């Protein structure tokens, strides 16, 4: 079992003919993801790698191929428009990898998506993977292994670190969701843990957060009331100075809020095991699963 | 990106947000002219640097204070003469201080009442929110902690923008008299337009004032811009003052590297922002002190890695370097080659610990091992961190 993506996922790639779009589409296909279509305006009618039909619009791709998920690689100036196009075409799951989308654009996207049944993951995220079944995103496939741990994270490489620790110990993952490091994102930490809590195939959860915002606190409060599954958490940025953006637009301590110490405290309060260092994330979960 | 006070005033004026009259001067003569143009005997001359605490600061030439009230045009010229070209030290600049290239010459207004007014992006709702208080001119965090009931919050629907009734409601609740409500509402609306049109993440007016003459003005403005949106604001990018920035950060930004200078002595190079923060944390956990945050990104080129490494090596404070890479998209052999290239042109005189994991890790480790350089390799993050802390202390 898994959440959101599996063998039945039919993927369209927006920006499939771009450099990174093409590169990562190939990686996803090699992993076994069923890529049914690509979209690049004015390139309709072409075939990507002689296999995948390219369309001018997402509507057309949806109609012709029945795609139910999209992976977006279009440049930041046009990414908000690409998300809205996918939602308007009725694509159920929208995974936006693009980094550097203006916050005002995401503000409008978030508002419009409130009245849409589509779910957005990202932007500025590594994507989502159900090991052995479907990979949508830029994460290296080989570090994953099918299993029963759900992983949710705001950071890409830090997720790889945690996943690799699990896999090295012979522990597989149900689904790993990289929700992204921007201030305004689609699927939140809370949304992701709710999905994992309701998935019978997920037996334990790893929650990786970082400074800024209050997403981890909200997820912790919900987990305390509604979830009996073992959860381990890690928060990056204990040593980050206030007022500075630490790479991610969302990773900033402002007005004394969003510190690592406060987040760790909220996790502990909710009965979540907190890893003190990034090298002990998997072991912290495994210790509470025994 | 930060901007100067005079630039903030110009931006406010552009959007019709009333603020005290004044202009920037780069010489004493210009300051004299600016003061004369004001036509008042109530003048303030303010040194323009990004750091706060100017009023209580001191110049390295012995002149006290970066903010002065003047009664006459010639006095304003004399004050400007003592400031321009001099170095101002405040509690925020560090002992090296900042060079003052220009001063703001403005009308000093008589204040009847001070307010706090800010517009920021509320992450929880994904919409702008206005935060305001009758207790202006003070640290708003203190007000929020002491008497949270004095803080007003007004959410704005991103689809419709700030409505007139909202500006009236705010003006009323802040205690403006009926005769001043129109001016207050006009200022609030102008500030909102400025916030949206300039892609700000925050506009903070502290204080917003009611003058004895009954005007409602933005007395001081602090802007935070969304870096992601700067591509569509060349006018704002032009306001950047590189002289105010950490030279290490300027060098990094040239090569599209995300770098933030810190006070420790262990240089770090990591891929990914979360992992970079976590690497700083684990160094601290082992008793060390990171010299920087440096994220080379998910898909950095060999050249970027080389430049990143050079920035670390050029920092005199750095006594040891830790490289922590989890290669996903980025290949470990590319990282290794980038490091070797850098060390070819800049001598590696300090200890280096490299932890590589992920794609092409074996090739990467082999490149480093075959180089003959005194590089300590670690296979896990914990060992890498404890090792680098030990080496930095020895």
């Amino acid at each position: 079992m898994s959440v959101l993506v599996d063998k039945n996922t039919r993927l369209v790639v927006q920006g499939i003919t771009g450099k990174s779009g093409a590169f990562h589409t190939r990686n996803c296909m090699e992993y076994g993801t069923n890529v049914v279509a690509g979209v690049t305006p004015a390139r309709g009618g072409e075939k990507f790698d002689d296999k995948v039909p390219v369309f001018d619009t997402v509507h057309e791709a949806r109609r012709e191929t029945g795609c139910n998920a999209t992976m977006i690689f279009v440049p930041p100036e046009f990414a908000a428009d690409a998300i809205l196009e996918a939602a308007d075409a009725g694509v159920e799951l929208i995974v936006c990898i693009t980094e550097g989308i203006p916050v005002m654009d995401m503000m409008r996207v978030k508002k419009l998506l409130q009245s849409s049944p589509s779910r957005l993951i990202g932007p500025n995220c590594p994507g989502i993977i159900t090991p052995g079944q479907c990979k949508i995103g830029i994460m290296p496939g080989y570090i994953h292994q099918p299993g029963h741990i759900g992983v949710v994270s705001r950071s890409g490489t830090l997720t790889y670190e945690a996943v690799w620790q699990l896999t090295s110990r012979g522990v597989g993952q149900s689904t790993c969701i990289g929700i992204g490091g921007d201030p305004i994102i689609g699927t939140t930490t809370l949304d992701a843990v709710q999905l994992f809590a309701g998935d019978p195939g997920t037996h334990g959860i790893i929650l990786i957060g970082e400074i800024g915002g209050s997403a981890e606190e909200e997820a912790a409060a919900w987990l305390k009331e509604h979830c009996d599954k073992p959860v381990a958490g890690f928060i990056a940025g204990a040593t980050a100075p206030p007022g500075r953006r630490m790479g991610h637009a969302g990773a900033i301590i402002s007005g004394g809020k969003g510190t690592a110490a406060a987040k760790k405290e909220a996790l502990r309060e909710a009965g979540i095991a907190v890893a003190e260092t990034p090298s002990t994330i998997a072991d912290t979960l495994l210790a509470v699963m025994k | 990106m930060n901007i100067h006070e005079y630039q903030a005033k110009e931006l406010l004026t552009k959007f019709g947000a009333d603020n005290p009259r004044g202009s920037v001067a780069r010489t004493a003569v210009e300051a004299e002219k600016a003061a004369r143009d004001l036509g008042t005997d109530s003048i303030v001359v303010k040194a323009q640097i990004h750091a706060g605490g100017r009023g209580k600061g001191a110049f390295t030439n012995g002149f006290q204070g970066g903010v002065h009230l003047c009664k006459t045009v010639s006095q304003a010229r004399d004050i400007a003469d003592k400031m321009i070209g001099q170095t101002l030290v405040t509690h925020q600049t560090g002992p090296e201080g900042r060079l003052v290239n220009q001063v703001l010459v403005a009308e000093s207004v008589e204040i009847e009442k001070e307010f706090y007014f800010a517009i920021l992006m509320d992450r929880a709702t994904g919409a702008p929110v206005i935060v305001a208080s009758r207790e202006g001119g003070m640290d708003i965090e203190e007000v929020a902690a002491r008497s949270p009931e004095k803080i007003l919050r007004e959410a704005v629907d991103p689809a419709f923008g700030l409505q007139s009734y909202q500006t009236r409601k705010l003006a009323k609740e802040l205690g403006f008299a009926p005769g001043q409500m129109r001016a207050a509402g006009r200022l609030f609306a102008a500030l909102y337009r400025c916030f949206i049109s300039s892609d700000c993440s925050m506009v903070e007016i502290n204080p917003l004032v009611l003058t004895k003459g009954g005007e409602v003005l933005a007395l001081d403005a602090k802007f935070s811009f969304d870096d992601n949106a700067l591509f569509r604001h060349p006018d704002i990018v032009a306001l950047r003052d590189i002289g105010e920035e950490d030279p290490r950060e300027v060098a990094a930004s040239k090569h599209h590297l995300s770098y933030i200078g810190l006070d420790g002595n262990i240089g770090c190079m990591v891929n990914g922002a979360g992992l970079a923060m976590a690497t700083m944390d684990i160094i601290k956990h082992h008793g060390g002190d990171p010299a920087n945050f440096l994220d080379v990104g998910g898909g950095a080129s060999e050249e970027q890695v080389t430049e990143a490494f050079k920035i670390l090596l050029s920092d005199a404070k750095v006594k040891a370097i830790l490289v922590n890479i989890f290669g996903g998209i980025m290949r470990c052999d590319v990282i290794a080659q980038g490091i070797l290239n850098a060390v070819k042109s800049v001598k590696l005189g300090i200890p280096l610990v490299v932890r590589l994991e992920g794609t092409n890790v074996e090739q990467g480790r082999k490149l480093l091992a075959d180089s003959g350089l005194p590089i300590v390799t670690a296979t896990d993050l914990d060992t890498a961190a404890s090792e680098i802390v030990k080496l930095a202390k020895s």
Side-chain angles (χ1 to χ4, degrees), chain A residues 32-116:
Chain A
T33 306
N34 185 18
V35 179
V36 298
V39 169
T40 300
R43 299 280 293 267
E46 293 181 17
K47 286 239 168 178
F48 174 76
D49 282 2
D50 299 324
K51 282 194 285 274
V52 183
V54 178
F55 299 92
D56 289 315
T57 68
V58 180
H59 291 80
E60 208 182 348
R62 167 90 169 168
R63 198 166 55 234
E64 299 296 321
T65 68
C67 53
N68 54 17
T70 178
M71 173 163 77
I72 297 178
F73 274 101
V74 307
E77 309 86 294
F78 314 114
D81 183 63
I83 296 170
L84 294 178
E85 182 183 3
D88 189 57
V91 178
E92 286 86 346
L93 181 69
I94 303 168
V95 182
C96 185
I97 309 297
T98 305
E99 177 180 357
I101 304 178
V103 179
M104 292 285 178
D105 293 8
M106 281 312 301
M107 171 183 90
R108 296 182 184 103
V109 166
K110 182 102 180 171
K111 174 78 185 170
L112 279 161
L113 286 186
Q114 278 170 2
S115 53
S116 156

Side-chain angles (χ1 to χ4, degrees), chain B residues 65-293:
Chain B
V67 177
H68 282 263
L69 289 171
C70 310
K71 291 263 172 241
T72 66
V73 168
S74 64
Q75 210 183 343
R77 185 196 58 216
D78 291 347
I79 297 286
D81 199 35
K82 291 194 173 86
M83 290 181 176
I84 294 168
Q86 299 298 324
T87 301
L88 178 59
V89 180
T90 80
H91 70 275
Q92 284 188 7
T93 61
E96 68 278 12
R98 290 285 165 76
L99 181 66
V100 176
N101 289 313
Q102 58 253 321
V103 296
L104 172 68
V105 182
E107 180 178 21
S108 171
V109 296
E110 279 195 274
I111 297 168
E112 174 71 30
K113 231 170 152 191
E114 292 184 303
F115 306 87
Y116 175 91
F117 188 93
I119 310 171
L120 53 135
M121 192 56 83
D122 182 15
R123 300 165 62 140
T125 59
V129 62
I130 292 174
V131 178
S133 171
R134 291 183 190 212
E135 308 238 337
M138 337 193 14
D139 183 354
I140 197 68
E141 306 303 333
E142 269 174 37
V143 179
R146 187 166 31 84
S147 32
E149 75 285 354
K150 288 185 176 158
I151 307 272
L152 304 173
R153 289 175 66 87
E154 184 73 21
V156 183
D157 188 314
F160 300 104
L162 184 66
Q163 302 297 303
S164 296
Y165 79 84
Q166 294 181 295
T167 65
R168 292 197 298 275
K169 187 170 138 202
L170 280 164
K172 183 76 196 170
E173 286 178 29
L174 286 172
F176 283 95
Q180 303 147 356
M181 279 180 63
R182 186 185 291 269
R186 200 173 55 222
L187 178 58
F188 301 160
L191 291 170
Y192 185 79
R193 274 200 307 279
C194 180
F195 172 83
I196 294 288
S197 307
S198 309
D199 271 295
C200 295
S201 41
M202 185 178 75
V203 176
E204 187 182 45
I205 309 296
N206 193 19
L208 182 148
V209 300
L210 172 67
T211 66
K212 290 210 188 296
E215 290 175 296
V216 185
L217 303 177
L219 201 60
D220 196 12
K222 198 174 146 206
F223 284 88
S224 301
F225 301 102
D226 174 12
D227 291 352
N228 288 350
L230 287 175
F231 70 85
R232 57 188 177 205
H233 297 287
D235 51 330
I236 293 171
V237 175
L239 302 179
R240 185 173 171 200
D241 183 348
I242 287 174
E244 288 281 343
E245 296 176 22
D246 182 331
R248 297 172 298 179
E249 294 180 16
V250 175
S253 74
K254 260 187 225 155
H255 301 283
H256 304 285
L257 300 163
S258 179
Y259 178 100
I260 291 172
L262 302 167
D263 296 327
N265 61 4
I266 298 175
C268 316
M269 182 170 95
V270 189
N271 66 330
L275 190 59
M277 278 190 275
T279 304
M280 289 160 46
D281 295 346
I282 200 169
I283 288 172
K284 198 92 173 177
H285 181 82
H286 282 282
D289 242 331
N292 65 281
F293 164 95

Side-chain angles (χ1 to χ4, degrees), chain A residues 201-226:
Chain A
T202 298
H203 302 165
I205 301 170
I206 286 180
L207 186 168
I208 299 173
E210 59 190 32
I211 53 163
S214 57
E216 294 82 3
E217 288 88 330
E218 284 152 23
W222 186 88
L223 283 166
K224 188 182 178 181
E225 298 296 320
H226 300 98

Side-chain angles (χ1 to χ4, degrees), chain B residues 324-359:
Chain B
N324 179 27
I325 300 292
F326 202 110
I329 298 321
M330 175 179 254
R331 292 167 12 221
C332 292
D333 53 324
V334 171
I335 294 281
Q337 195 55 55
I339 295 171
L340 296 180
N341 292 350
V343 174
K344 257 182 235 160
S345 57
V346 188
K347 194 177 166 305
L348 179 67
I350 51 175
L352 168 64
V353 175
V354 180
R355 183 265 182 157
L356 295 176
E357 193 57 76
T359 310

